[in-house]
């Protein structure tokens, strides 16, 4: 699929053909993720046996704003370490989250007490301070021999400080079973705040449906890298995934398909609320998307009355786009849209509601802009702020509206003009941020219409100056979308997310002054053993200097691991969301917690 075919051309009536026939065959067969996934599986076993290098304060991803190491001030956690926090319910929840992260591997009880205000002393202290200079999401971390202190103005800042703290412990802290180790944190201090307020990832649960536990685990992955938005692409031609009272056939009929011949599925209201609530515990806001007026075949299958000819089409399980639409000339359509958006808004505490708007190739000119403008008013009526793919740019401005730019050439006058009229932007450039693109020609999953996206390509661009004619202050942030035409399982999601998601997270969080591929690839490679310990099925990108001993061992063992994605790395150790993890029943295993070796030399930077 070439990118020109996918660019929105007002008035173009083409049904855009997505992947080639060969690609499609591969997609609908749910091609076993061979090669890379298998090599990745081999690495899992090897890395768990490889002693990890000591973690340095400057190894954090995303790079913090300021880092001041004090090597003489390392802090050793102990079996009697206590976590102390202010008597504030949101801060207490962060402290409890920290304890839950650390208890399984350390086997320490790590009691949480609300005595941070009263008692001086050691251990881990989380304090809410009045220091507004840190902003709503910033934090300060001070590691000394005597104590580890995270301070922040808001609970979100404490939460991000906790994610940093977690990365400073040896990789085996990610293990779900007690692991013998010296739980050392490198001494010094970090002062940190995000560059952008919007730091997101998108999961397409429409092309393939993913059950709630998979989504919760993806939320955990976002939280590790300080992302704060999960955009859920809830509806598309191949399936409708969210229950709407009064429109039962959306889920009994519209949800029963997905790409290929899988059974589909949907989220009940309770499921959706569970996702939203779990995300909130990770300081992540769900941005729900109902894609309109195109990408609606599944709705039309359920309710033919919404179709322009009032005839329900056949279910669609292929991967083409641009052929379906709800009738923009029918009042019934607006009743439908009002009910659906009202329901989704009611269950979504966040401020944003995404209306899609992409690739409605058959709704042209003013029929399209009139439709978008009316839907923008419906969104405003729910009290939410509208987001749409950048194709909605030609529609009139509405208060606060946000465009999500997914183009590939950085020069888009229609979007720049919408920004001049007041729109703000989320940047998801297809050729840098699209996590459904292949890493390399031989990547067993994914597409390539926007190009190949290796880790460096995901990392090497600047959201602040990416789009011509758009001032830096119009950019709300960055989002990495994962479309799932070819992605069918949780390990496959992880394979496409890691290691690129952390690269995009760094663009969204870190000040531009920290940007640099040579150091980034080293910092990121150091996370490989962490992902292994967490059972994450990552792609072992050849661009990164993975810890040497593990790389050698992988080469020696070859790729002789099953090519069945079901045995891919992420499934090797039951990839449960953190909330579902067992904490204290498992046996003690000796793994990589003891930082007994200096950091191995890494491969020279090819740059
Ligand atoms: C474009 S990006 C789409 C999606 C596809 C994706 C595949 C956008 C708004 N629309 O419908 O899934 O390409 O890469």
């Amino acid at each position: 699929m070439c990118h020109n075919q996918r660019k929105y051309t007002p008035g173009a009536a083409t049904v855009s053909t997505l992947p080639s026939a060969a690609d499609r065959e591969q997609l609908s067969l749910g091609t076993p993720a061979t090669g890379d996934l298998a090599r990745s599986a081999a690495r899992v076993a090897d890395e768990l046996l490889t002693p990890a290098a000591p973690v340095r304060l400057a190894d954090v991803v995303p790079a913090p704003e300021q880092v001041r190491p004090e090597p003489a001030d390392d802090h050793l956690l102990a079996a009697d370490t206590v976590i102390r926090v202010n008597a504030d319910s949101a801060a207490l929840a962060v402290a409890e989250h920290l304890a839950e992260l650390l208890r399984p591997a350390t086997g320490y009880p790590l009691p949480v007490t609300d005595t941070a205000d009263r008692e001086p002393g050691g251990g881990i202290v989380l304090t809410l301070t009045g220091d507004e200079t840190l902003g709503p999401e910033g934090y300060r971390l001070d590691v000394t021999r005597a104590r580890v202190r995270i301070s922040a103005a808001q609970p979100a800042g404490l939460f991000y400080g906790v994610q940093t703290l977690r990365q400073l412990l040896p990789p085996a802290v990610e293990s779900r079973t007690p692991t013998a180790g010296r739980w050392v944190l490198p001494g010094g201090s970090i002062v940190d705040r995000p560059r952008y307020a919007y730091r997101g990832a998108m999961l397409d649960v429409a092309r393939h449906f993913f059950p709630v536990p998979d989504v919760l685990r993806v939320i955990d992955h976002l939280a590790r890298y300080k992302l704060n938005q999960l955009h859920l692409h809830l509806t598309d031609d191949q399936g409708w995934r969210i229950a709407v009272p009064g429109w039962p056939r959306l889920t009994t009929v519209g949800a029963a398909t997905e790409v290929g011949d899988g059974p589909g599925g949907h989220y009940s209201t309770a499921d959706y609320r569970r996702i939203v609530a779990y995300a909130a515990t990770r300081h992540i806001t769900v941005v729900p998307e109902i894609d309109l007026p195109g990408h609606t075949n599944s709705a039309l299958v359920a309710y033919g009355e919404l179709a322009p000819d009032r005839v329900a089409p056949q279910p669609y399980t292929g991967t083409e786009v641009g052929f379906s639409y709800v009738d923009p000339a029918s009042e019934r359509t607006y009743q439908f849209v009002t009910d659906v958006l009202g329901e989704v808004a009611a269950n979504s505490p966040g401020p944003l509601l995404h209306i899609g708007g992409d690739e409605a190739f058959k709704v042209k000119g003013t029929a399209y802009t009139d439709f978008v403008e009316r839907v923008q008013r419906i969104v405003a009526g729910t009290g939410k702020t509208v987001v749409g793919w950048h194709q909605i740019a030609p529609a009139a401005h509405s208060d606060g509206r946000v465009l999500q730019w997914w183009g590939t050439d950085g020069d888009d006058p229609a979007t720049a003009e919408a920004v001049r009229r007041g729109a703000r932007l989320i940047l998801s450039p297809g050729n840098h941020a699209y996590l459904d693109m292949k890493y390399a020609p031989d990547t067993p999953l994914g597409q390539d219409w926007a190009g190949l996206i290796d880790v460096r390509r995901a990392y090497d661009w600047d959201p602040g100056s990416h789009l011509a004619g758009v001032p830096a202050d119009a950019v709300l942030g960055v989002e990495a979308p994962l479309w799932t035409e070819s992605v069918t399982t949780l390990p496959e999601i992880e394979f496409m997310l890691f290691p690129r998601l952390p690269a995009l997270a760094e663009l969204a969080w870190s000040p531009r002054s920290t940007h640099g591929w040579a150091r980034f690839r080293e910092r990121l490679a150091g996370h490989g053993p962490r992902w292994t310990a967490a059972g994450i099925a990552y792609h072992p990108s050849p661009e990164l200097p993975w810890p040497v001993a593990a790389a050698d061992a992988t080469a020696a063992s070859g790729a002789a691991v099953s090519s069945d994605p079901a045995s891919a790395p992420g499934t090797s150790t039951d990839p449960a969301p953190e909330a579902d993890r067992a904490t204290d029943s498992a046996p003690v295993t000796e793994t990589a917690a003891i930082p007994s070796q200096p950091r191995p030399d890494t491969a020279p930077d090819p740059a």
Side-chain angles (χ1 to χ4, degrees):
M1 174 74 234
C2 103
H3 125 249
N4 289 335
Q5 283 170 278
R6 301 195 59 77
K7 253 184 135 174
Y8 172 67
T9 328
T14 44
V15 170
S16 181
T17 47
L18 197 80
S20 66
D23 281 344
R24 261 205 305 283
E25 188 183 303
Q26 211 188 28
L27 299 185
S28 56
L29 288 176
T31 312
T34 52
D36 289 328
L37 276 178
R39 278 191 290 282
S40 189
R43 189 180 294 283
V44 169
D46 296 329
E47 280 175 0
L48 281 173
L49 300 172
T50 305
V55 185
R56 297 173 301 189
L57 201 67
D59 285 343
V60 174
V61 177
E65 191 175 284
Q66 288 173 36
V67 180
R68 291 208 184 80
E70 281 298 344
D73 252 339
D74 289 358
H75 182 92
L76 185 62
L77 296 187
D80 62 356
T81 295
V82 173
I83 300 175
R84 292 181 301 117
V85 63
N86 306 103
D88 168 280
S89 63
L92 267 162
V94 175
E96 205 38 69
H97 172 71
L98 172 63
E100 282 163 16
L101 290 176
L102 305 187
R103 281 175 191 141
T106 62
Y108 299 163
L110 300 170
V112 173
T113 73
D114 63 0
T115 55
D117 300 320
R118 304 197 294 276
E119 291 170 15
I124 302 175
V125 189
L126 309 187
T127 49
L128 287 175
T129 67
D131 184 0
E132 295 297 336
T133 61
L134 291 167
E137 297 183 300
Y139 66 93
R140 183 184 168 105
L141 171 69
D142 295 289
V143 178
T144 63
R145 274 166 189 262
R147 83 178 61 82
V148 177
R149 179 190 294 277
I150 300 171
S151 37
Q154 303 285 337
L158 293 181
F159 183 82
Y160 297 125
V162 160
Q163 300 310 318
T164 293
L165 187 164
R166 171 187 195 188
Q167 283 188 19
L168 294 174
L169 285 162
V173 75
E174 298 295 336
S175 166
R176 266 155 276 179
T177 54
T179 301
R182 265 171 60 77
W183 302 106
V184 181
L185 287 149
S189 61
I190 287 177
V191 180
D192 201 10
R193 288 178 292 199
R195 179 180 183 189
Y196 291 112
Y198 188 105
R199 305 180 302 280
M202 188 202 82
L203 183 63
D204 170 7
V205 296
R207 269 51 177 274
H208 281 96
F209 177 70
F210 298 93
V212 172
D214 290 0
V215 179
L216 303 192
R217 179 154 160 110
V218 169
I219 288 170
D220 288 338
H221 295 339
L222 269 49
R224 285 171 187 279
Y225 293 101
K226 303 187 175 84
L227 297 179
N228 64 357
Q229 310 287 325
L230 173 66
H231 168 184
L232 286 178
H233 183 75
L234 289 167
T235 64
D236 214 306
D237 292 316
Q238 298 85 349
W240 185 279
R241 307 297 178 212
I242 185 84
V244 180
W247 298 83
R249 288 172 57 82
L250 289 174
T251 46
T252 56
V253 175
T257 45
E258 59 188 349
V259 170
D261 54 11
H266 74 276
Y267 306 121
S268 66
T269 303
D271 289 339
Y272 181 74
R273 288 187 181 152
R274 185 171 163 220
I275 291 169
V276 166
Y278 187 86
T281 66
R282 271 70 179 151
H283 293 266
I284 289 172
T285 305
V286 172
V287 180
E289 179 189 350
I290 305 296
D291 203 347
L292 298 163
H295 290 273
T296 40
N297 198 73
S298 62
L300 304 179
V301 173
Y303 291 99
E305 66 204 75
L306 302 172
D309 58 3
R310 310 287 181 263
V311 176
Q314 289 301 306
Y316 182 71
T317 59
T319 58
E320 297 185 355
V321 298
F323 56 90
S324 63
Y325 62 104
V326 289
D327 184 0
S330 158
E331 280 310 304
R332 188 75 180 134
T333 291
Y334 297 98
Q335 261 170 37
F336 168 75
V337 171
T338 303
D339 289 355
V340 170
L341 293 181
E343 171 66 10
V344 172
N347 294 316
S348 304
L352 301 177
L353 191 48
H354 201 308
I355 60 166
D358 58 313
E359 300 173 321
F361 298 133
K362 294 191 171 175
V363 185
K364 299 172 203 156
T366 53
Y368 176 81
T369 51
D370 288 353
F371 176 87
V372 170
E373 287 165 14
R374 188 153 170 194
V375 175
Q376 289 182 166
R377 288 193 292 275
I378 293 171
V379 171
T382 71
K384 304 291 184 189
T385 298
V386 73
V387 192
W389 298 107
H390 72 264
Q391 278 73 24
I392 71 167
H397 183 66
S398 68
D399 197 25
R401 86 175 176 149
V402 177
L403 305 189
Q404 182 167 8
W405 190 76
W406 60 282
T408 54
D409 71 6
D411 185 11
D412 178 9
T415 297
E417 167 56 22
V419 168
R420 271 190 290 280
R421 286 185 277 129
R424 292 164 302 160
L425 283 188
I426 296 166
L427 291 182
S428 301
N431 52 344
H432 293 282
Y434 263 34
L435 298 181
D436 63 320
M437 294 300 123
K438 292 174 180 287
Y439 291 90
D442 63 351
T443 304
L445 306 172
Q447 308 196 33
D448 60 6
W449 66 261
L452 301 170
I453 304 183
D454 59 15
V455 182
R456 182 162 193 172
R457 190 161 186 81
Y459 180 70
D460 263 344
W461 59 285
D462 180 5
S465 59
H466 189 70
L467 210 48
V470 168
D473 64 5
V475 176
L476 267 187
V478 175
E479 183 183 295
L482 180 61
W483 301 99
T484 60
E485 285 94 335
S486 71
V487 176
T488 63
T489 63
L490 178 64
E492 291 178 359
I493 290 176
E494 293 181 337
F495 183 83
M496 299 308 261
L497 256 47
F498 291 92
R500 292 180 295 193
L501 183 73
L504 290 150
E506 177 144 320
L507 295 184
W509 177 280
S510 304
R512 192 65 191 167
S513 58
T514 63
H515 192 86
W517 170 247
R519 265 297 285 142
F520 177 68
R521 65 194 278 277
E522 289 181 11
R523 284 186 283 122
L524 188 59
H527 285 221
R530 232 162 258 288
W531 302 334
T532 298
I536 295 174
Y538 67 96
H539 167 56
S541 305
E543 315 155 78
L544 300 182
W546 304 104
V548 165
D552 289 349
T554 303
S557 69
V561 177
S562 164
S563 62
D564 177 359
S567 67
T571 52
S572 64
T573 50
D574 180 26
E578 278 151 8
D580 296 354
R581 289 179 177 184
T583 52
D584 53 12
S585 57
V588 174
T589 51
E590 290 277 343
T591 66
I594 305 166
S596 57
Q597 286 188 174
R599 190 179 179 79
D601 285 331
T602 51
D605 186 355

